[in-house]
Amino acid sequence: MAYFDAASAAPLHPVGRQALLAALDDGWADPARLYREGRRARLLLDAAREAAAEAVECRPDELVFTPSGTRAVHAGIEGALAGRRRVGRHLIVSAVEHSSVLHAAEVHEALGGSVTEVGVGRTGAVTPDAFAGSLRPDTALACLQSANHEVGTVQPVAEVAEACRAAGVPLLVDAAQSLGWGPVAGDWSLLTASAHKWGGPSGVGLLVVRKGVRFAPRGPLDERESGRAAGFENIPAVVAAAASLRAVRAEAAEEAARLRELTERIRTRVPALVPDVEVTGDPERRLPGIVTFSCLYVDGETVLHELDGAGFSVSSGSSCTSSTLTPSHVLRAMGVLSEGNVRVSLPPGTPAEDVERFLAVLPGVVAGVREKLGAPVPAGGVRGAERGVEESGASAVDAPAVDTPAGGTPAGASTAGDALVVDALGRRCPVPVIELARVIGDVPVGGTVRVLADDEAARLDIPAWCEMRGQEYVGEEPADRGSAYVVRRVS
């Protein structure tokens, strides 16, 4: 099985495993006690803190260990906002932050604070000018991830930190995805990270608060971890986290070059092998191991199941794979195609042979799913291509074919005035886009198609389809149920 989901959780590094097992024997006692076992545990904890601080490039007394990266984010945002409550209650976040940041922003807003969400371009990056333009006299805190967890785009942290510093506003950086590759550049004020992202054990987060930053921990205070992370420290896990961070950093330069070559191979060859694919994220300013692409006329859930059956563990930002049935907020903010989304995130040590096997299997998987859905033959592709994997049953989304009677309106469509109306109500992604693609050729150039849909993904995927197909997206109109998405045929 090829594990290609390191952005969610990287496999435990061998050095981390060894450190964890050793610390289970020596680090079980209370590090606050003065007897021998306690002193031994304290030495392990202090050494782990110094090693982590060296990797972050901060002082050891600025860094605390938390029970998770999410808890580090929440504690950091809550403490920084509380520490600067006299300045104001304005919080700035980017539109593509990790959900832990956005959830904290929602709570802050529900409690009476104000939040500005800075948008991103199609590569997923903010512009420093846009971020700086959101700063106000009452801004208490700004948050910006170092690199995106879904598409790999690296954010201009140093430039944003400079603007924040000039305005006297602290910047919190979520460095969960990037810290294993190197320290975060720039004059940031707070930093968070999560050990299981770099090959440490789960259940360990980092929170760094620079000296001089106003910070007031929320909740009942605890004497441990400077009062910023309550509860008994999980010393074996902390020791393993620090050991694995040091180990991956020692390998980072060589491994980053190797993984960049492998992900570039995926970025360039997937569009050549699979018709109608949009590769997302910045092509240059990106993390070494992450590449994301979306395939027209495919539902992400079925693709993931098929790839899993073929021996590949990948993830997706498609709404079809989400319990909320809404597209990834990252893809939505970028304005890119969400249907058939596949995120490949390679862990260190990934063999090149696994990538080549993935590239050999993927075209057949996508072609097979499209055929099951009854999708139009993609541009430059042949439906029914050899799949490379064994069929595994019907798709989770069934889309009956739309036949066009001679001289008539396509079955499943109707006319309203001069527009052709396609009723895709109650149909999940990617059916609304498939049905639009089937009928667009049945209206004259300059004519319009109104697609009725109540799937949230249609709001993103129909405009994205128009962008890819060179048709004009007129806009969204209210409807008795769901929305009407109007497309004008240009060619």
Side-chain angles (χ1 to χ4, degrees), residues 120-183:
V120 298
R122 287 185 68 86
T123 64
V126 302
T127 63
D129 288 345
F131 212 98
S134 299
L135 295 166
R136 305 188 327 209
D138 64 337
T139 301
L141 177 67
C143 300
L144 180 64
Q145 59 190 191
S146 55
N148 189 259
H149 50 291
E150 289 195 29
V151 299
T153 297
V154 173
Q155 299 289 353
V157 171
E159 296 90 333
V160 170
E162 183 179 358
C164 289
R165 180 67 64 179
V169 174
L171 176 67
L172 183 148
V173 177
D174 171 16
Q177 290 296 334
S178 72
L179 193 59
W181 298 110

Side-chain angles (χ1 to χ4, degrees), residues 228-379:
R228 294 172 184 169
F232 198 99
E233 297 94 343
N234 185 347
I235 294 177
V238 163
V239 169
S244 59
L245 181 56
R246 175 176 284 179
V248 298
R249 279 291 191 83
E251 305 160 355
E254 181 178 353
E255 193 61 22
R258 198 179 69 84
L259 290 186
R260 282 190 190 281
E261 192 279 326
L262 293 179
T263 53
E264 186 60 26
R265 195 180 302 183
I266 297 173
R267 283 183 62 86
T268 56
R269 287 177 58 186
V270 165
L273 293 168
V274 182
D276 291 335
V277 165
E278 181 178 18
V279 181
T280 62
D282 194 293
E284 301 294 336
R285 290 177 54 88
R286 57 185 303 100
L287 290 174
I290 298 179
V291 57
T292 304
F293 54 88
S294 299
C295 308
L296 269 179
Y297 315 133
V298 165
D299 76 283
E301 184 175 19
T302 305
V303 170
L304 263 60
H305 283 315
E306 295 281 2
L307 287 172
D308 180 59
F312 298 96
S313 301
V314 300
S315 62
S316 173
S318 292
S319 60
C320 310
T321 65
S322 168
S323 59
T324 63
L325 301 183
T326 58
S328 149
H329 71 278
V330 173
L331 301 178
R332 187 170 61 244
M334 293 168 63
V336 298
L337 185 70
S338 76
E339 66 184 54
N341 179 258
V342 176
R343 179 185 70 180
V344 174
S345 49
L346 307 177
T350 298
E353 294 78 11
D354 284 354
V355 171
E356 286 299 323
R357 188 164 63 88
F358 174 79
L359 291 170
V361 166
L362 181 69
V365 166
V366 175
V369 174
R370 283 171 171 164
E371 188 173 30
K372 290 175 186 177
L373 287 167
V377 178

